[in-house]
Amino acid sequence: MATRKITLVRHGKHQRGVNIPNGGDLLPIGKEQAAYTGGALLRRNDITALYASTMQRAYTTAQIIATFFPHLGVTTTNDLREAVFHVPQSQQDQDPYETMAPGTIDAHRVRMAVAYSKYVRPADGPHDEHDVLVCHGNVIRYFMVRALNEPVASWHEYHVANASFTSLQVDEYGTVHLLDYSCVSHLPRRLRNL
C-alpha cells in the first residue's frame, strides 16, 4: 500500500529583528545550510512536492532546495508561516508574548490544526508520495507533538535546529509515524545548531 512521507525542513539561519520585513532573509551561512539540505534531499530521490512558508527565510531556503529539483516548483502557502499556538504560563509576561494582539494565539492554533490535517494524511493514490514542507521551528514542533499525540502545551520543550529534517510517515490507515526529529547529520559540524 502507498504511504505519504512528510519531511519538514526548518529554514536556514536568518536575520533577526523586530522590524525586519517578512521575518528577515537568510544569512550567507543559512544559504550554505540550505544548499546542503537540498543535496541531502536529492539523495532521497523520491520527492513529489515542495511547499514553503511565505515568510522570506523559508521561501529562500525552498528556492535553494528547488535548484536540486528542476522538475518541481515551490508552492508557497500561508499555512506554514511561523505560529505561536500556546504560551507556557511561565512565559506569558515576556516579549514577544505580552505584546501579541488578542486572539492571535487562537487563530494560530486553528491555522496549525488545518495545516496538519492538510499535509498529514494518507497518500492520494496507489503510489508513495513525499512532500517537503519548508517552514519554521514552531510549525515543526506542532506537527511533531500532534504526531506523537502529546499535549500541544509540550511544544516548547523541543529544539529544532536550522536546516534540520523532521520526517513523518502516514500509512494507508492514517496512522502517523515519527521517523526522525531535528536531524542535522547532513550538515557539516560547523553548520549545525547555529
Side-chain angles (χ1 to χ4, degrees):
M1 291 291 181
T3 62
R4 177 186 299 277
K5 186 174 181 182
I6 303 98
T7 298
L8 297 118
V9 175
R10 185 176 180 207
H11 56 77
K13 182 105 173 136
H14 71 290
Q15 302 164 317
R16 291 185 171 272
V18 176
N19 296 319
I20 295 176
N22 205 18
D25 204 352
L26 295 185
L27 295 168
I29 200 163
K31 291 178 181 178
E32 192 176 358
Q33 289 173 319
Y36 275 102
T37 301
L41 288 169
L42 183 61
R43 289 189 290 279
R44 294 181 180 205
N45 200 30
D46 63 348
I47 295 170
T48 53
L50 178 59
Y51 298 92
S53 159
T54 54
M55 295 186 80
Q56 190 62 51
R57 59 191 181 260
Y59 180 70
T60 300
T61 301
Q63 287 293 100
I64 293 168
I65 291 169
T67 64
F68 293 86
F69 300 93
H71 64 287
L72 292 178
V74 177
T75 302
T76 57
T77 175
N78 286 325
D79 296 341
L80 300 175
R81 286 181 71 88
E82 186 62 289
V84 176
F85 43 84
H86 176 268
V87 179
Q89 188 71 32
S90 63
Q91 297 179 10
Q92 289 182 355
D93 61 349
Q94 298 175 16
D95 278 336
Y97 305 125
E98 68 178 358
T99 58
M100 293 180 80
T104 299
I105 292 172
D106 290 338
H108 285 195
R109 189 178 302 122
V110 168
R111 179 167 53 87
M112 287 295 90
V114 169
Y116 185 87
S117 297
K118 179 178 178 180
Y119 297 105
V120 183
R121 67 186 198 285
D124 293 327
H127 302 290
D128 290 346
E129 298 172 2
H130 183 179
D131 295 343
V132 173
L133 313 180
V134 183
C135 52
H136 308 276
N138 288 353
V139 176
I140 294 167
R141 290 176 184 100
Y142 181 89
F143 275 53
M144 194 217 41
V145 297
R146 281 284 307 270
L148 295 175
N149 290 316
E150 289 188 16
V152 172
S154 68
W155 72 273
H156 69 280
E157 298 173 14
Y158 298 96
H159 171 73
V160 181
N162 288 110
S164 65
F165 296 127
T166 296
S167 297
L168 307 173
Q169 184 169 297
V170 186
D171 66 22
E172 68 271 21
Y173 305 108
T175 304
V176 182
H177 305 274
L178 178 67
L179 303 179
D180 53 30
Y181 175 71
S182 195
C183 181
V184 292
S185 61
H186 60 285
L187 297 174
R189 288 195 183 278
R190 65 183 176 79
L191 296 179
R192 296 180 187 179
N193 299 317
L194 299 174

